[in-house]
Amino acid sequence: MSAVEFERERNDTLQQLSEFEDSLQKTLSGNLTMQSELEVTKLAIRAAISKAFKTPQVIRLFAQKQPAALRERLAQIDRDVKLGKADHDAVAEQAAEILTALKKLGEPLAPKEEAFLRKHQTRDLCDFEAVAEEGDVHLPGHSASSTTSRQ
C-alpha cells in the first residue's frame, strides 16, 4: 500500500469512527430514531392488517400463518352458501379476506379464486396488498429507504 492510499484509508476510517461516535452519542442521549421508525413501521403494518381484515378469525389465522386452516374456512363458507345456510353477498367479503391472506402467505390461487378476488376485493384489501407487495410501509415524512437502509 502506498503512502497516499494509506492516508486515504486512514482518513476514511477516522471519518467512519467520528460518524459512529456521533450516532452512539445520539442513542445514548435518547434519540432512538431507528427504533422509533421501526416501531412506526410495525404499527403501520398492524393498522393495515386490522383495517384490511374485518374478521377476527382471518386475522388470527393470517398472523399464525395457517394457510390450511384458511382454506378450510373458505371451503366451509362455500359449503354454507351451497346449502343455503349463508347468503353469498353476506360472506363474499370474508371470502375475499381469506383469499387475500392466502395470497400474502404465498399460497397459489386458482384462476376462479383470482377472478373472485378481483370482483370482491375491497379498497382496504387492495391497500394492504399494495403495502405487502412494495415490501415497505410508506408514511408521510418517512422515506421508503430510511428504515431499510439503517438496518
Side-chain angles (χ1 to χ4, degrees), residues 73-89:
R73 178 66 186 130
L74 190 60
Q76 184 181 22
I77 290 171
D78 193 42
R79 266 192 317 272
D80 288 349
V81 169
K82 286 178 181 175
L83 294 174
K85 292 182 179 181
D87 180 54
H88 178 272
D89 294 334

Side-chain angles (χ1 to χ4, degrees), residues 112-149:
K112 180 180 172 184
E113 292 172 327
E114 288 280 359
F116 180 90
L117 187 57
R118 278 191 300 277
K119 183 177 179 182
H120 296 284
Q121 195 171 39
T122 65
R123 175 87 167 136
D124 291 333
L125 287 172
C126 288
D127 290 346
F128 172 72
E129 195 169 357
V131 166
E133 285 175 1
E134 291 171 13
D136 205 350
V137 177
H138 301 283
L139 302 169
H142 292 81
S143 67
S145 61
S146 65
T147 303
T148 54
S149 66

Side-chain angles (χ1 to χ4, degrees), residues 21-34:
E21 184 179 351
D22 290 345
S23 174
L24 187 59
Q25 288 301 322
K26 285 180 182 178
T27 301
L28 291 174
S29 69
N31 184 350
L32 303 175
T33 305
M34 187 170 97

